[in-house]
């Protein structure tokens, strides 16, 4: 029989989250949510306390992506919510499930200039799947359940619950509240059978079919079905940056190294859990073949047909795993066996170019050679790595430098190219995947956004290896002579401090710090970082690249050639 004993609001919030299956929360406490965090800890939920709400909210989104259930973030109202909006944007743009909980001013003190008063529900409604304040304390559990469920049912995204101070500090008879049960997996739907037959026929008739694997396929945990389709039908594939590992990068059917060539020549593309945005050049010529037929598979029907108009009729709406199995059944007796020799040659040529750059042990160090040393150290130490990467050149070059053999083992700046996610993502990875070591490849500018979260990682006992690629600038640095007091020119807007000692920040907060300027120093430092069981920052001093053209390679590649008049 349910207890008639009054339960405190903070305890009711904690028990609601626990009953739904929440075991980890990210956030920062302050009045009035300290009581909520303490109640969660007492209930058996781990509360990971950050130094900035932005990083906490980023961590919660990554946790949602890695686990398939909403990451939960708890912050104070007012400025805490303003900072956490970064996570709302990250969740929405990447389709990661997030539940944001925030304290707010007392329900009877609104419109009076109460402590940290903002109409947070109205502010967040346009950017979330659901934003609400429980009508009463007794309805708080059912409102939390709704927000939690909506965050990962259908297309994943962000939801928000407002927690007034008087709800947190009040009490209610437990019998007046709804009992919650552990959250269950979202229902899965199959695609229209006639459309599946049509799509299968397009693949059968294709001269060069191609599968593009997006991060939605990784989030949907569809790797077994996709691997079977690609291996059994011998269809070449191309992973997006966070789609890497759904099918192992080492597969002979992986044509990432001939990305431009295969996109230009494929006449039928099966797009799994990806969007035709800037990352995929909008599906348009000249990057894509003129007249290409794109079979887009997505959980959200409104995504079908976006960009490269004319392909909406080929789209399939449903759960990626189920839809891929439907396609496999329709292609039971099909096997592709005509990959053009020119494509294979292009891939081998690009492999050779990359290998040459990686083996070029010049001084100062280059990105490519550094990544080879780190990769060799990962292999030599048998490290199970989950890669986190952010920055411009640091991230872009790392994307192809490190093979990923398992799904959901690479996190990066994502759809919004968000800088500052790195250390928060690494903490989320450590919490969600304790058998893996977060290996972070950080641009020095990107690292600066969340460097103080090193203290969060050390306090939380999360080992990680962080390689800061220090070129003294944003995109590229400037020559050392530019820092001279006698220099006649002011520093450019892209300049950062000369050889800043990021390694010492790690030491200051209880971690390990190492600096490397040569190949031998980096080999030694990488091995130590991967094996010492600590939060370790390796400050890698590289060529500033002051004379290189200022652009982000991936974005520059989306530009159409100028018309010649």
């Amino acid at each position: 029989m349910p207890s008639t004993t009054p339960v405190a609001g903070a305890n009711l919030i904690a028990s609601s989250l626990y009953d739904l299956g929440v075991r980890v929360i990210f956030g920062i406490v302050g009045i009035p949510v300290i009581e909520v965090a303490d109640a969660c800890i007492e209930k058996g939920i781990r509360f990971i306390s950050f130094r900035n709400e932005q990083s906490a909210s980023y961590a919660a989104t990554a946790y949602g992506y890695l686990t398939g259930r909403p990451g939960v973030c708890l912050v104070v109202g007012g400025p805490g919510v303003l900072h956490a909006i970064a996570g709302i944007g990250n969740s929405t743009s990447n389709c990661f499930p997030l539940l944001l909980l925030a304290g707010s001013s007392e329900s009877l003190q609104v419109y009076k200039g109460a402590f940290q008063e903002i109409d947070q529900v109205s502010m967040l409604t346009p950017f979330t799947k659901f934003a609400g304040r429980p009508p009463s304390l007794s309805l708080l559990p059912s409102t939390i359940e709704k927000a939690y469920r909506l965050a990962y049912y259908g297309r994943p995204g962000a939801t928000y619950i407002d927690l007034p101070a008087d709800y947190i500090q009040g009490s209610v008879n437990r019998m007046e509240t709804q009992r919650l049960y552990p959250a269950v997996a979202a229902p899965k739907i199959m695609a229209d059978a006639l459309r599946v037959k049509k799509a299968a026929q397009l693949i059968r008739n294709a001269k060069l079919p191609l599968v593009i694997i997006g991060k939605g396929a990784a989030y949907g945990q569809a790797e077994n079905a996709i691997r079977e389709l690609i291996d059994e039908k011998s269809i070449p594939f191309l992973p997006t940056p966070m789609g890497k590992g759904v099918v192992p990068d080492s597969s002979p059917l992986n044509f990432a190294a001939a990305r431009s060539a295969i996109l230009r020549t494929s006449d039928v593309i099966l797009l799994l859990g990806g969007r035709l945005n800037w990352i995929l050049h909008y599906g348009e010529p000249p990057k894509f073949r003129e007249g290409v037929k794109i079979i887009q598979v997505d959980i959200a029907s409104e995504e079908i047909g976006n960009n490269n108009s004319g392909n909406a009729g080929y789209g399939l709406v449903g759960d990626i795993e189920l839809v891929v199995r439907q396609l496999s059944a329709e292609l039971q007796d099909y096997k592709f066996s005509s990959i053009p020799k020119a494509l294979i040659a292009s891939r081998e040529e690009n492999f050779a170019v990359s290998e040459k750059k990686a083996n070029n042990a010049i001084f100062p160090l280059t990105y490519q050679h550094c990544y080879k040393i780190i990769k060799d150290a990962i292999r030599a130490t048998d490290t199970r790595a989950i890669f986190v990467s952010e920055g411009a050149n640091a991230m872009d070059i790392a994307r192809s430098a490190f093979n990923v053999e398992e799904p959901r083992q690479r996190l990066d700046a994502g759809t919004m190219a968000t800088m500052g996610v790195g250390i928060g993502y690494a903490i989320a990875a450590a919490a969600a995947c304790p058998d893996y070591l977060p290996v972070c490849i950080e641009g020095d500018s990107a690292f600066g956004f969340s460097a103080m979260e090193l203290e969060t990682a050390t306090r939380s006992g999360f080992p990680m290896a962080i390689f800061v690629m220090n070129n003294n600038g944003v995109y590229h640095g400037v020559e050392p002579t530019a820092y001279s007091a006698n220099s006649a020119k002011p520093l450019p807007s892209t300049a950062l401090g000369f050889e800043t000692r990021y390694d010492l920040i790690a030491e200051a907060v209880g971690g390990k710090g190492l600096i490397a300027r040569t190949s031998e120093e980096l080999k030694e430092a990488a091995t130590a970082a991967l094996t010492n069981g600590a939060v370790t920052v390796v400050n890698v001093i590289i060529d500033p690249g002051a004379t290189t053209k200022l652009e982000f390679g991936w974005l520059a590649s989306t530009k159409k050639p100028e018309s010649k008049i």
Side-chain angles (χ1 to χ4, degrees):
M1 181 176 178
S3 171
T4 59
T5 305
V7 58
N11 291 332
L12 185 61
I13 296 165
S15 60
S16 298
L17 293 168
Y18 188 88
D19 290 346
L20 287 169
V22 176
R23 294 296 181 269
V24 177
I25 295 176
F26 307 87
I28 298 181
V29 297
I31 295 172
V33 299
I34 294 175
E35 295 163 67
V36 176
D38 286 345
C40 288
I41 294 169
E42 186 177 345
K43 190 70 179 176
I45 299 173
R46 181 169 191 178
F47 184 79
I48 301 175
S49 182
F50 277 68
R51 305 302 296 265
N52 182 287
E53 290 93 353
Q54 190 178 62
S55 289
S57 65
Y58 288 152
T61 64
Y63 189 84
Y65 168 74
L66 292 168
T67 63
R69 295 298 171 89
V72 179
C73 183
L74 175 67
V75 300
V76 298
V81 172
L82 291 174
H83 293 167
I85 285 178
I88 295 283
N90 199 56
S91 165
T92 302
S93 64
N94 289 291
C95 304
F96 294 166
L98 167 71
L99 170 58
L100 177 64
L101 305 170
S104 66
S105 41
E106 295 162 325
S107 59
L108 298 179
Q109 301 297 332
V110 294
Y111 312 125
K112 297 172 67 176
F115 177 66
Q116 295 185 333
E117 181 183 349
I118 296 179
D119 186 354
Q120 295 161 180
V121 173
S122 296
M123 182 173 67
L124 295 178
T125 294
F127 309 107
T128 56
K129 295 181 70 177
F130 171 80
R133 170 183 284 191
S136 66
L137 183 51
S138 62
L139 292 174
L140 194 150
S142 59
T143 309
I144 289 177
E145 185 278 333
K146 178 176 183 175
Y148 187 83
R149 173 170 40 85
L150 288 177
Y152 74 107
Y153 272 42
R155 169 177 276 185
T159 58
Y160 171 72
I161 294 293
D162 214 44
L163 302 174
D166 49 323
Y167 284 20
I168 293 171
Q169 295 161 358
S171 61
V172 66
N173 189 317
R174 195 66 169 97
M175 293 188 68
E176 298 176 14
T177 66
Q178 177 182 327
R179 182 181 177 185
L180 301 185
Y181 297 90
V184 297
K188 295 183 176 183
I189 59 172
M190 299 175 76
D192 182 305
L194 291 178
R195 279 183 170 247
V196 172
K197 286 181 181 293
K198 181 180 178 180
Q201 194 59 45
L202 282 176
I203 294 171
R204 284 179 182 276
N205 295 339
K207 294 180 179 178
L208 180 59
L210 172 67
V211 178
I212 298 180
I213 303 171
K215 64 175 174 283
Y219 171 80
Q221 301 183 15
E223 54 268 15
N224 290 337
I226 295 172
R227 290 180 181 194
E228 288 172 15
L229 173 72
I230 287 173
D231 290 344
E232 291 176 7
K233 312 306 174 190
S234 294
I235 302 175
F237 74 93
L238 185 67
T240 63
M242 284 180 60
K244 287 165 67 72
V246 171
V247 179
D249 275 349
S250 58
S251 166
L253 293 168
N254 181 3
F255 275 80
R259 185 178 190 275
S260 295
I262 200 166
L263 286 177
R264 283 196 306 269
T265 50
S266 292
D267 57 335
V268 174
I269 292 175
L270 177 62
L271 175 58
L272 301 176
R275 288 169 287 176
L276 294 174
N277 55 21
W278 68 274
I279 295 175
L280 287 176
H281 318 292
Y282 314 107
E284 298 173 348
K287 282 293 183 179
F288 281 63
R289 177 174 173 161
E290 186 77 45
V292 63
K293 295 177 174 62
I294 301 176
I295 305 163
Q296 187 172 9
V297 181
D298 203 282
I299 194 68
S301 58
E302 61 269 23
E303 190 60 47
I304 303 298
N306 281 343
N307 297 325
N308 199 333
S309 60
N311 284 289
Y314 309 128
L316 301 173
V317 177
D319 175 79
I320 291 174
E321 180 186 13
L322 296 185
V323 174
V324 169
R325 294 203 183 281
Q326 285 180 276
L327 283 168
S328 291
E330 291 292 334
L331 294 168
Q332 196 165 6
D333 58 346
Y334 168 80
K335 189 163 187 173
F336 183 70
S337 58
S338 304
I339 298 175
K341 291 181 179 179
L343 267 181
I344 297 172
S346 175
R347 181 176 65 178
E348 297 308 309
E349 182 181 337
N350 290 337
F351 274 143
V353 171
S354 297
E355 190 72 14
K356 183 178 180 180
K357 289 180 179 179
N359 287 324
N360 190 10
I362 59 174
F363 182 85
L365 294 169
T366 63
Y367 289 104
Q368 291 87 349
H369 187 58
C370 289
Y371 293 164
K372 181 184 186 301
I373 292 171
I374 296 167
K375 185 165 61 175
D376 289 346
I378 290 171
R379 188 182 301 113
T381 57
D382 200 25
T383 297
R384 297 185 73 190
I386 180 166
F387 293 100
V388 179
S389 188
E390 63 174 337
N393 297 318
M395 178 179 68
D396 192 33
I397 297 169
R399 171 178 51 84
S400 56
F402 295 94
N403 273 7
V404 181
E405 301 299 299
E406 299 177 76
R408 297 170 296 282
Q409 301 307 299
R410 185 181 188 277
L411 302 167
D412 66 18
T415 304
M416 290 246 289
T418 305
M419 297 300 110
V421 297
I423 308 305
Y425 274 17
I427 291 169
C433 309
D435 294 333
Y436 291 79
L437 179 74
V439 176
C440 304
I441 308 297
E442 297 276 310
D444 50 354
S445 173
F447 177 68
F449 283 81
S450 61
M452 201 60 206
E453 301 305 340
L454 294 175
E455 191 276 329
T456 304
T458 56
R459 174 170 27 91
S460 302
F462 290 142
M464 56 186 66
I466 302 159
F467 297 88
V468 180
M469 310 308 293
N470 189 347
N471 68 349
N472 312 324
V474 182
Y475 298 102
H476 61 61
V478 295
E479 293 297 340
T481 54
Y483 295 91
S484 169
N486 298 323
S487 176
K489 294 183 179 180
L491 289 173
S493 62
T494 57
L496 299 175
F498 178 66
E499 295 191 0
T500 300
R501 294 297 301 273
Y502 299 112
D503 48 305
L504 299 182
I505 300 175
E507 293 188 0
V509 298
K512 304 288 186 182
L514 302 166
I515 189 166
R517 291 184 173 86
T518 67
S519 298
E520 289 304 316
E521 289 174 348
L522 182 54
K523 288 175 187 176
E524 185 177 336
T527 300
L530 296 168
T531 58
N532 64 16
V535 175
T536 304
V537 170
V538 181
N539 189 6
V540 188
I541 308 300
I542 63 172
D543 184 352
T547 60
T548 57
K549 186 177 179 181
L550 183 60
E551 65 178 11
F552 175 34
W554 189 296
L555 193 58
S557 69
T558 67
K559 297 176 182 177
K560 293 183 178 181
E562 295 181 5
S563 300
K564 295 182 179 179
I565 300 174

